[in-house]
Amino acid sequence: MAVSLSKHCFFKFPSKLSNFSPNFNTTFSSIISKRHFNLFALYPSCNSHNPRYGNRNGGTSKANISAVATDFTEADTVSKEEEKYGEAHNEKILLPTNESSEGLLRIRHTCAHVMAMAVQKLYPDAKVTIGPWIENGFYYDFDMEPLTDKDLKRIKKEMDRIIRRKLPLVREEVSRDEAQRRIVSVNEPYKMEILESIKEDPITIYHIGNEWWDLCAGPHVESTGHINSKAVELESVAGAYWRGDIHKPMLQRIYGTAWENEEQLKAYLHLKEEAKRRDHRRIGQDLDLFSIQDEAGGGLVFWHPKGAIIRHIIEDAWKIMHIQHGYDLLYTPHVAKADLWKISGHLDFYKENMYDQMEIEEELYQLRPMNCPYHILVYKRKLHSYRAFPIRVAELGTVYRYELSGSLHGLFRVRGFTQDDAHIFCLDDQIKDEIRGVLDLTEEILLKFGFDKYEVNLSTRPEKAVGGDEIWEKATSALEEALNDKGWSYQIDEGGGAFYGPKIDLKIEDALGRKWQCSTIQVDFNLPQRFDITYVDSNQEKKRPIMIHRAVLGSLERFFGVLIEHYAGDFPLWLSPIQARILPVTNTQLEFCNEVNRRLKSKGIRSEVCSGERLPKLIRTSEKLKIPLMAVVGPKEVETQTVTVRSRFGGELGTMAIDDFISKMKHAIENRKFF
């Protein structure tokens, strides 16, 4: 069921699929303009898994320049790559998910087994480990010699032969001792370790014909003949540590994708190519937005001038909206005494993600992984009356977390990042209104940056939790009521809350239909107790307040990466780091161009002059750098005190007086519209 509200589309999901993505078919829809995809295909951000066997065998994740007043050559300003992706495409392909199609899930899981069988036929010494289905296909990890792309082609051909033989998939139940005997007989040490982790009996095994078997809970198709080999493709091979532990063997992980038919595979591959074109790491380098310097260390982001101006715009908008919504802004230190992190519990529960402590004047200090304890210290500086509530504080706080080098990924996984963090201290009966206020603010901020489709999840009390039943029920009900008041549909993740309180998680959908975890709202019963924070109620008794953690963007680095990929680097005029570039036909017009540039900058417009090349090349370069507007100046423009304006999105817009050009730009920027 979809509910529309303020241009938002929210989906109602099955309450039992806490680790699954929405249970509906997703649409790979048409391109709606020459330069911008609007592809509504859902690719779940979390991997599905079999609740019994866990990771054992379930998943874990053109416009030509026309003659103007001056004389210059026409230039083709749109690259072949943009033309390729900008062609109108009206065909709609339904791309099912593992959750919307059990048949597809069975195909993908079976493909993992077929691939493992093919690998062991071609490489008899290869040892198998796990082979789950994942969001777009499957993978399997092998302890074997390194593989190449050429090897993948051999493996795929062997898979095709197995599929053509239409071998049955047969389920068998055996005792633990029998399973152990069989594993020893085929010398599969990793399977023995997996067997030891299985607590339930009997043990289930799936056979492919009489030739290959694997410990597995299923499900699978009845026969390999139910797989369309033309809808299966092996995509890549990568290294992966066994159990994700760097101290354990490095394995060869083969990724594959599988679909119900060839049309779905083609649609997926098309989307994959578009995602590759939008990769924020490539665009960030091409547009000179940011870098990660080896000399400084992995996972540490350098914001270049053009990226930094976008960050400034994001931060400025964030601060203004928070002040309007009653938040007080904070700035707090990047380090603190290690004892602070003992009180908060981070040294007990989060130490592996924290950097080593440093000794200063015989005391230990710690780089902060979180901002929460700092905000609590600000709260504790004085005793509060119940009349002061709610108290809302917010900070763009930079934190540092240790991540393995192999897990670092552009702006999406880094070691130092800035959270748009905020905390609300409130009374029990204020929780609902405060949550509703956070939801309203979240919608306002995300809409500002072009995101209007969300997936919402409400996570409830886990088995192990702090706080009594009454406060958990009250807080969870408050979250539900706030979501219902907002009119948002949501999925309930039973038992998926943090040990310290229930939470709401919100994923935004980008232009390709991918979901990105950004916003989170968490009620916390733990830290107020650990730090012993109180307030004075109407009876002059000390009580403990409710603490709400919340972030809208998540981290500025990750959100910027999502923004880059959402817009493919083609930022809207109001957000573009350079909004207009002034181009002289010859250097004779440079003085006038510089004057136009000064006038634009004086009105707050981000502009620059570019010269030194022939005009067609200047235009091509500006197009390549995705600059929204170009103002061409030749002899006639100088004579008439005008500019000839060209838009990346609308082509040539004609000749305008300078004041008119500025006025139109200001109007478009202020109203967040195209020029």
Side-chain angles (χ1 to χ4, degrees):
M1 177 180 74
V3 179
S4 179
L5 178 68
S6 302
K7 297 184 180 180
H8 293 259
C9 187
F10 304 92
F11 303 98
K12 184 74 174 180
F13 309 127
S15 61
K16 297 294 184 184
L17 299 177
S18 63
N19 290 318
F20 286 178
S21 293
N23 185 8
F24 57 89
N25 285 348
T26 53
T27 305
F28 182 78
S29 71
S30 60
I31 301 165
I32 60 172
S33 72
K34 273 202 166 188
R35 296 188 204 275
H36 293 280
F37 274 75
N38 190 15
L39 308 175
F40 299 106
L42 177 69
Y43 288 88
S45 60
C46 57
N47 298 325
S48 54
H49 71 278
N50 184 290
R52 176 182 172 191
Y53 286 172
N55 290 341
R56 178 157 73 93
N57 35 51
T60 41
S61 134
K62 178 169 168 176
N64 291 330
I65 306 170
S66 57
V68 293
T70 53
D71 183 23
F72 55 87
T73 307
E74 293 187 0
D76 180 359
T77 61
V78 178
S79 69
K80 292 181 180 179
E81 182 184 38
E82 285 181 314
E83 285 184 350
K84 173 183 175 183
Y85 289 100
E87 294 173 355
H89 180 74
N90 296 317
E91 182 182 6
K92 293 185 178 181
I93 303 293
L94 291 178
L95 286 181
T97 69
N98 292 328
E99 291 70 53
S100 67
S101 173
E102 185 180 346
L104 178 60
L105 185 149
R106 290 174 179 269
I107 287 170
R108 288 173 171 171
H109 197 187
T110 305
C111 281
H113 283 219
V114 170
M115 180 175 71
M117 177 177 173
V119 167
Q120 291 198 306
K121 278 183 173 292
L122 296 172
Y123 307 91
D125 293 333
K127 303 300 180 186
V128 295
T129 61
I130 60 170
W133 70 82
I134 53 177
E135 53 187 312
N136 295 319
F138 57 93
Y139 74 78
Y140 215 112
D141 287 348
F142 304 91
D143 189 347
M144 61 183 300
E145 62 192 73
L147 296 169
T148 66
D149 290 340
K150 185 177 179 181
D151 296 320
L152 294 187
K153 293 179 181 178
R154 290 184 63 208
I155 295 168
K156 178 58 168 64
K157 287 181 180 179
E158 184 62 33
M159 288 178 66
D160 292 345
R161 282 191 283 269
I162 295 170
I163 291 170
R164 286 196 299 269
R165 293 173 61 192
K166 300 181 180 179
L167 298 172
L169 274 290
V170 180
R171 183 177 183 272
E172 180 187 12
E173 292 185 358
V174 299
S175 67
R176 186 172 296 272
D177 289 342
E178 175 61 17
Q180 184 172 344
R181 185 191 67 78
R182 295 189 189 185
I183 292 171
V184 170
S185 69
V186 294
N187 188 26
E188 290 284 6
Y190 296 96
K191 285 299 176 185
M192 187 64 73
E193 187 174 332
I194 292 170
L195 177 64
E196 291 170 356
S197 68
I198 301 173
K199 304 304 180 184
E200 303 90 349
D201 288 318
I203 305 301
T204 56
I205 289 175
Y206 272 84
H207 300 262
I208 300 180
N210 295 317
E211 303 177 30
W212 192 87
W213 60 269
D214 193 7
L215 293 173
C216 188
H220 292 282
V221 296
E222 294 179 0
S223 161
T224 60
H226 290 199
I227 300 170
N228 183 343
S229 62
K230 293 183 179 179
V232 178
E233 183 170 297
L234 297 186
E235 298 186 282
S236 62
V237 61
Y241 290 109
W242 172 234
R243 299 295 197 189
D245 187 338
I246 61 173
H247 302 294
K248 293 184 177 180
M250 173 67 77
L251 308 175
Q252 295 293 295
R253 175 172 294 179
I254 303 176
Y255 286 99
T257 188
W259 300 88
E260 296 167 333
N261 53 58
E262 294 174 71
E263 290 73 22
Q264 291 176 3
L265 175 61
K266 289 178 182 177
Y268 163 74
L269 294 176
H270 189 79
L271 179 62
K272 184 180 175 183
E273 283 301 309
E274 174 61 7
K276 183 179 179 180
R277 186 181 76 90
R278 291 169 177 256
D279 191 308
H280 73 281
R281 294 167 296 180
R282 181 183 66 83
I283 293 175
Q285 182 177 4
D286 291 346
L287 301 186
D288 196 21
L289 300 174
F290 72 91
S291 64
I292 296 174
Q293 306 281 347
D294 289 339
E295 293 87 344
L300 303 173
V301 180
F302 287 73
W303 295 74
H304 298 183
K306 291 179 181 178
I309 195 64
I310 296 177
R311 174 169 175 158
H312 167 73
I313 295 167
I314 295 171
E315 289 185 351
D316 196 44
W318 185 91
K319 291 175 182 177
I320 289 171
M321 284 188 276
H322 276 75
I323 291 171
Q324 291 172 344
H325 281 257
Y327 286 80
D328 292 317
L329 301 184
L330 300 178
Y331 292 94
T332 58
H334 290 218
V335 297
K337 291 180 180 179
D339 286 346
L340 184 66
W341 308 105
K342 290 180 182 178
I343 298 171
S344 70
H346 287 94
L347 281 178
D348 293 327
F349 303 108
Y350 204 72
K351 188 173 183 179
E352 68 275 9
N353 293 106
M354 297 170 66
Y355 282 98
D356 290 341
Q357 296 171 4
M358 62 190 87
E359 185 175 330
I360 301 174
E361 295 180 349
E362 298 183 351
E363 286 191 295
L364 294 176
Y365 281 74
Q366 179 77 55
L367 277 172
R368 65 175 173 185
M370 306 281 186
N371 301 304
C372 325
Y374 290 85
H375 293 187
I376 291 175
L377 291 185
V378 172
Y379 174 90
K380 285 191 70 173
R381 75 192 187 280
K382 64 180 181 180
L383 185 62
H384 297 275
S385 165
Y386 71 97
R387 295 187 182 89
F389 290 91
I391 297 171
R392 309 182 190 103
V393 292
E395 177 182 14
L396 293 169
T398 301
V399 298
Y400 303 90
R401 299 180 187 174
Y402 173 66
E403 300 282 355
L404 294 174
S405 58
S407 68
L408 300 176
H409 180 80
L411 297 174
F412 292 157
R413 186 169 286 250
V414 294
R415 288 172 170 164
F417 56 93
T418 301
Q419 288 184 312
D420 70 317
D421 216 350
H423 294 91
I424 300 170
F425 302 91
C426 65
L427 310 179
D428 292 6
D429 58 3
Q430 294 174 331
I431 298 175
K432 174 192 166 184
D433 290 340
E434 288 307 303
I435 297 299
R436 174 59 196 269
V438 173
L439 296 178
D440 290 341
L441 177 58
T442 297
E443 180 179 36
E444 183 179 342
I445 292 176
L446 294 179
L447 271 174
K448 187 179 188 73
F449 293 99
F451 297 103
D452 60 3
K453 294 184 177 66
Y454 319 132
E455 174 189 318
V456 183
N457 296 277
L458 170 61
S459 301
T460 61
R461 182 173 184 166
E463 191 172 323
K464 294 183 179 180
V466 298
D469 292 342
E470 183 179 351
I471 190 61
W472 267 91
E473 290 172 7
K474 190 167 187 175
T476 303
S477 295
L479 297 182
E480 288 181 316
E481 290 173 16
L483 286 169
N484 291 332
D485 281 358
K486 186 66 179 170
W488 288 4
S489 295
Y490 54 91
Q491 174 185 357
I492 294 181
D493 180 4
E494 295 286 356
F499 75 93
Y500 51 78
K503 63 177 181 173
I504 294 172
D505 288 321
L506 185 147
K507 298 175 185 176
I508 58 176
E509 182 178 313
D510 70 7
L512 297 187
R514 298 172 299 181
K515 300 296 178 69
W516 302 92
Q517 173 68 56
C518 282
S519 309
T520 187
I521 308 167
Q522 303 175 356
V523 180
D524 189 349
F525 312 130
N526 180 51
L527 286 184
Q529 181 177 337
R530 279 181 167 269
F531 281 92
D532 191 27
I533 60 174
T534 59
Y535 69 92
V536 177
D537 70 4
S538 58
N539 297 319
Q540 299 301 305
E541 295 179 358
K542 286 188 176 182
K543 295 289 182 64
R544 204 170 308 286
I546 297 295
M547 183 177 182
I548 299 173
H549 305 255
R550 46 112 299 195
V552 176
L553 306 179
S555 87
L556 295 188
E557 286 75 7
R558 187 168 183 269
F559 184 72
F560 186 39
V562 174
L563 268 182
I564 293 171
E565 298 202 2
H566 178 63
Y567 289 112
D570 251 333
F571 298 109
L573 180 63
W574 73 274
L575 193 55
S576 181
I578 301 297
Q579 295 168 320
R581 179 173 272 189
I582 305 149
L583 309 176
V585 176
T586 68
N587 285 343
T588 306
Q589 292 87 44
L590 260 179
E591 183 177 350
F592 181 68
C593 288
N594 288 329
E595 175 58 28
V596 172
N597 189 38
R598 283 192 292 271
R599 291 176 64 178
L600 291 175
K601 285 182 174 293
S602 71
K603 299 298 182 180
I605 295 169
R606 298 186 292 277
S607 61
E608 65 183 15
V609 177
C610 189
S611 62
E613 303 281 355
R614 295 179 65 249
L615 185 58
K617 185 171 182 180
L618 292 177
I619 293 174
R620 282 195 297 272
T621 300
S622 298
E623 288 274 353
K624 185 177 180 181
L625 294 177
K626 304 183 188 297
I627 293 172
L629 293 170
M630 288 160 276
V632 178
V633 175
K636 191 162 185 179
E637 283 80 12
V638 175
E639 181 183 343
T640 58
Q641 297 289 286
T642 59
V643 291
T644 296
V645 182
R646 176 174 183 75
S647 166
R648 237 184 87 70
F649 306 103
E652 187 184 331
L653 302 180
T655 301
M656 304 177 189
I658 307 302
D659 288 341
D660 288 344
F661 180 46
I662 292 173
S663 177
K664 287 178 181 291
M665 281 199 72
K666 292 286 288 182
H667 181 268
I669 293 167
E670 289 169 1
N671 292 279
R672 286 162 175 68
K673 295 180 178 179
F674 291 114
F675 183 81

